[in-house]
Amino acid sequence: RRIDEKAGSAQARVLIGGLLPGLGTPDRFALSTANAVLGGSGFRLFREIRDLRGLSYDPAPAMVQFPDAGVWLAAAGTDPVNVDTVIELLTVELDRLSNERLGDEDLANAKNYLEGSLVVGLETPAAQSGQMIRDEAFGSPVLSHAHVEGIRAVTADDVQRVAREYLRTDAATLVVVQP
């Protein structure tokens, strides 16, 4: 399904996404790893859309999970003349995750990114207390050895399987907001 809206004065925003299971799913860590493969600076969406083509300053995936449900998305802001190209690139990279098995380096980089982000994201007492509150409220502790082990146990086959099951562009909702 595609939703087109009008807003803003200069830049378009493209979002594609869908539903995920909640935090209790055994696929939680594989989903986080898939999201990291698409991830921030140096990872697939950033590299393909920003670094190689200069079409967006901020292409990024996101995954939000609560105890009972979640959502995934990939988004990018771009000049309105580039909307179709950005949609194609987002779709290509999401489909690539489903159709091509990750190489060892990509998998290791994603897992290292997740572990490193956890450490960096918890550098302040405010961040630590906020995470403790979320851990307690959601019943799914990030501040645990089990969380780190869950990330480390993810395989390339796990990432491809969850991408095929959940990150399906053929079942996603596409939202385009432009002037």
Side-chain angles (χ1 to χ4, degrees):
R1 168 177 173 196
R2 179 173 171 153
I3 300 168
D4 287 281
E5 294 291 335
K6 297 285 184 192
S9 60
Q11 191 171 35
R13 190 83 180 149
V14 176
L15 299 102
I16 184 169
L19 299 175
L20 289 177
L23 287 169
T25 181
D27 291 331
R28 173 182 175 197
F29 300 109
L31 286 164
S32 292
T33 305
N35 190 65
V37 169
L38 295 169
S41 180
F43 289 92
R44 289 184 178 185
L45 294 180
F46 200 88
R47 185 173 53 242
E48 292 300 319
I49 297 171
R50 178 184 168 154
D51 290 348
L52 295 178
R53 292 174 180 83
L55 296 174
S56 176
Y57 185 74
D58 63 348
M63 186 179 80
V64 179
Q65 285 181 292
F66 295 100
D68 58 344
V71 65
W72 67 270
L73 66 93
T78 191
D79 187 294
V81 300
N82 297 322
V83 164
D84 291 335
T85 303
V86 168
I87 291 169
E88 180 182 347
L89 291 169
L90 290 170
T91 302
V92 163
E93 288 306 319
L94 286 159
D95 290 344
R96 181 176 164 211
L97 203 55
S98 296
N99 298 326
E100 292 179 19
R101 190 174 189 278
L102 280 181
D104 292 340
E105 185 177 353
D106 283 342
L107 180 63
N109 287 343
K111 290 160 74 168
N112 290 337
Y113 171 79
L114 288 172
E115 281 192 60
S117 296
L118 180 61
V119 172
V120 171
L122 297 172
E123 287 183 336
T124 67
Q128 293 166 13
S129 61
Q131 186 61 56
M132 285 185 240
I133 291 167
R134 282 187 295 280
D135 287 355
E136 186 66 27
F138 293 166
S140 188
V142 169
L143 299 175
S144 70
H145 182 68
H147 182 85
V148 173
E149 288 305 312
I151 293 168
R152 290 179 180 166
V154 173
T155 67
D157 290 335
D158 293 332
V159 172
Q160 188 174 30
R161 179 182 51 75
V162 298
R164 284 181 178 162
E165 186 170 348
Y166 301 110
L167 310 182
R168 294 181 39 218
T169 58
D170 64 331
T173 298
L174 174 65
V175 178
V176 179
V177 180
Q178 56 186 324

